Amino acid sequence: QVQLVQSGGGSVQAGGSLRLSCTASGEVSRIYEAEWHREPPGERREMVVNIHNSGHTQYEDAVKGRFFAAWDKAKNTVDLQMNNLTPEDTGVYFCRIAAFRDPGLGTFYVWGQGTQVAVSS
């Protein structure tokens, strides 16, 4: 089993920065990918960044150059540094991990509880 707990977020004015953290516990050695998703108000959830165990990181175009994800394997955390925030970044942010199943084959996913990010103009 893997459990995820999120922290961080809050309210900030446009142009400001926020940092989100997602801490994993349990069988963390089975995790091979970590992701950040967001749900803008009234809109569908979308992935904004994913980071593979290999270190390869991909960002959605809207956040590229402003958001930076980091996987700290010593602390079992995946952080999301969000800079130069705009009102369009407002939403509930979720972390998710992909991990190998108990036998070591196949994949299962675990979601964090979500955290609110509000950016005012």
Side-chain angles (χ1 to χ4, degrees):
Q1 259 286 355
V2 177
Q3 299 81 40
L4 301 179
V5 177
Q6 295 180 222
S7 62
S11 300
V12 67
Q13 291 184 326
S17 298
L18 288 171
R19 187 178 184 90
L20 307 179
S21 183
C22 178
T23 301
S25 61
E27 295 181 291
V28 297
S29 63
R30 299 188 180 188
I31 300 171
Y32 68 86
E33 185 175 273
E35 307 158 357
W36 285 98
H37 302 244
R38 68 183 181 187
E39 286 185 1
E43 300 183 20
R44 297 178 179 178
R45 188 176 301 182
E46 66 173 356
M47 184 185 297
V48 295
V49 62
N50 70 81
I51 178 168
H52 193 268
N53 187 45
S54 67
H56 180 66
T57 305
Q58 293 180 302
Y59 297 90
E60 195 269 332
D61 287 343
V63 308
K64 194 176 300 180
R66 301 186 298 118
F67 289 15
F68 301 92
W71 188 339
D72 188 337
K73 295 184 178 180
K75 297 181 179 180
N76 296 321
T77 62
V78 179
D79 294 341
L80 183 65
Q81 178 67 43
M82 304 182 292
N83 301 319
N84 195 23
L85 287 161
T86 74
E88 288 71 36
D89 296 317
T90 293
V92 180
Y93 283 68
F94 299 86
C95 63
R96 188 181 79 163
I97 61 92
F100 297 115
R101 291 189 177 275
D102 289 343
L105 297 175
T107 300
F108 69 92
Y109 302 91
V110 180
W111 289 94
Q113 79 276 18
T115 185
Q116 178 71 48
V117 171
V119 185
S120 62
S121 59

